[in-house]
């Protein structure tokens, strides 16, 4: 079933808003400690827990408006709920931080499995929006596989060696920006593989 049309600005708000909300909530309460049922929780953990329902509400609205959610959105939501739960249960912010590595790592692994089978799973997901010859899809998929793997490794290095403040800023702004610029550069660089719509015949 194809997705219903939606205002692109509203779509961006629903997709990016929860992450920005997490960032703003974290900034507001990062130095606070909250005691719940006799257990002390840092501001980071509380912000991570608040992020979960915000994300689910945004996804619910997006689903009601479009009638469809991508596999990536569903997978990301599952990972957020799962690792948010582990973060709260063990009162350990490391679980929420490693979530990003696992999401990027899983995406790299899925694309790699397709490549090893001589197929582009990326083409299966994006072909409707980006008509391109198979050779172009294989190039795009190989490059995106390496990018996802690099982001997973970068996240592991950053959260293990840097401050929580720096990780939150990079998670909110740097990682999405790097991925966006990378995708934009690939689409521009792979123009020669794009399939253009045939021009209508003149009477």
């Amino acid at each position: 079933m194809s997705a219903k049309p939606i205002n692109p600005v509203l779509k961006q708000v629903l997709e990016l808003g929860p992450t920005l909300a997490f960032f703003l909530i974290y900034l507001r309460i990062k130095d606070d400690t909250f005691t719940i049922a006799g257990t002390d929780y840092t501001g980071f953990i509380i912000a991570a827990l608040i992020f979960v329902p915000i994300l689910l509400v945004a996804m619910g609205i997006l689903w009601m408006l479009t009638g469809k959610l991508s596999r990536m959105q569903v997978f990301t939501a599952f990972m957020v709920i799962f690792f948010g739960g582990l973060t709260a249960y063990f009162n350990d912010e490391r679980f929420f931080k490693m979530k990003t590595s696992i999401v990027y790592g899983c995406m790299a692994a899925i694309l790699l499995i397709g490549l090893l089978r001589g197929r582009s799973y990326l083409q299966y997901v994006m072909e409707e929006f980006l008509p391109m010859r198979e050779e172009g899809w294989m190039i795009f998929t190989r490059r995106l596989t390496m990018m996802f793997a690099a982001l997973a490794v970068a996240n592991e290095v950053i959260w293990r060696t840097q401050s929580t403040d720096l990780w939150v800023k990079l998670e909110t702004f740097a990682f999405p920006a790097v991925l966006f610029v990378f995708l934009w550069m690939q689409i521009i660089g792979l123009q020669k593989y794009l399939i253009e719509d045939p021009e209508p015949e003149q009477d």
Side-chain angles (χ1 to χ4, degrees):
M1 182 177 65
S2 60
K4 302 173 186 176
I6 182 176
N7 184 291
V9 175
L10 176 59
K11 186 173 185 291
Q12 288 298 307
V13 169
L14 292 173
E15 291 179 343
L16 303 179
T19 301
L20 182 58
F22 165 73
F23 176 73
L24 295 175
I25 293 169
Y26 168 76
L27 289 183
R28 176 67 179 82
I29 66 175
K30 65 178 183 177
D31 297 322
D32 299 332
T33 300
F34 300 83
T35 302
I36 302 175
T39 302
D40 291 338
Y41 295 93
T42 65
F44 175 89
I45 291 179
I46 297 300
L49 295 180
I50 295 174
F51 171 66
V52 175
I54 292 176
L55 176 66
L56 293 180
V57 169
M59 288 186 61
I61 295 173
L62 187 62
W63 178 76
M64 286 189 296
L65 293 176
T66 65
K68 185 177 182 180
L69 293 174
S70 70
R71 293 179 178 86
M72 183 61 184
Q73 288 171 322
V74 174
F75 174 69
T76 300
F78 171 78
M79 297 297 285
V80 167
I81 294 170
F82 180 73
F83 283 95
L86 290 178
T87 299
Y89 183 80
F90 291 103
N91 196 13
D92 190 337
E93 63 186 35
R94 292 178 297 178
F95 288 103
F96 197 75
K97 292 177 178 178
M98 70 175 64
K99 162 190 63 66
T100 301
S101 304
I102 294 175
V103 169
Y104 284 138
C106 285
M107 293 306 299
I110 291 170
L111 294 180
L112 179 60
I113 290 172
L115 289 172
L116 293 175
R117 299 179 62 188
R119 301 175 60 187
S120 169
Y121 290 159
L122 190 63
Q123 179 181 3
Y124 172 71
V125 175
M126 296 181 61
E127 187 173 27
E128 180 180 350
F129 309 101
L130 188 66
M132 187 162 54
R133 297 199 300 275
E134 185 174 352
E135 182 183 358
W137 279 116
M138 295 301 289
I139 295 172
F140 193 5
T141 304
R142 285 194 293 269
R143 292 175 179 175
L144 189 56
T145 300
M146 290 186 288
M147 173 55 72
F148 278 139
L151 288 173
V153 172
N155 184 70
E156 281 297 297
V157 172
I158 291 167
W159 81 257
R160 292 176 185 275
T161 63
Q162 304 300 315
S163 67
T164 295
D165 265 3
L166 179 60
W167 179 84
V168 169
K169 292 172 183 175
L170 294 177
E171 164 76 2
T172 304
F173 301 107
F175 286 170
V178 167
L179 190 55
F180 174 81
V181 171
F182 172 81
L183 293 173
W184 178 78
M185 290 177 63
Q186 296 311 305
I187 293 173
I188 296 299
L190 294 171
Q191 286 287 316
K192 64 180 181 179
Y193 297 104
L194 295 182
I195 300 174
E196 298 182 359
D197 293 331
E199 295 183 0
E201 296 182 1
Q202 299 294 330
D203 293 334

